[in-house]
Amino acid sequence: MSRKVLPGRPYPQGATWDGTGVNFAIYTERATKVELCLFDDPSAAETERITMPETTAWVWHCYLPGLQPGQLYGYRVHGPYEPEKGLRFNPNKLLVDPY
């Protein structure tokens, strides 16, 4: 599926529905890439993976027109894996929204 992805806004953080779509924003200082994963069923594989295109002051963000409340989602965050520096990025792990 090819979905329209707009830049969105960095605030508020989390997933925010505005009546016509959803803005996604998540803060991470060291990430090199953030992917938004959409699901139709909590026990099934993701149905869509969207690379979040924008960053503003370490907040990754995008806006998906037409998305409705109740959409299941998570994040895959890419970045350095350097445990000695406290960095443990692993895009194989699906992360829940901290907001």
Side-chain angles (χ1 to χ4, degrees), residues 1 20 34 37 58-59 90:
M1 173 196 287
T20 60
V34 176
C37 301
W58 296 308
V59 177
N90 183 349

Side-chain angles (χ1 to χ4, degrees), residues 25-77:
I26 184 169
Y27 177 89
T28 171
E29 287 187 31
R30 303 290 177 108
T32 57
K33 177 179 170 182
V34 176
E35 296 172 307
L36 173 65
C37 301
L38 303 180
F39 296 83
D40 289 339
D41 183 310
S43 61
E46 64 196 43
T47 54
E48 197 170 351
R49 190 181 293 193
I50 299 162
T51 299
M52 296 179 77
E54 301 289 327
T55 57
T56 303
W58 296 308
V59 177
W60 294 74
H61 51 92
C62 69
Y63 180 83
L64 303 181
L67 212 61
Q68 296 293 313
Q71 173 67 55
L72 302 173
Y73 70 97
Y75 296 102
R76 295 190 188 279
V77 183

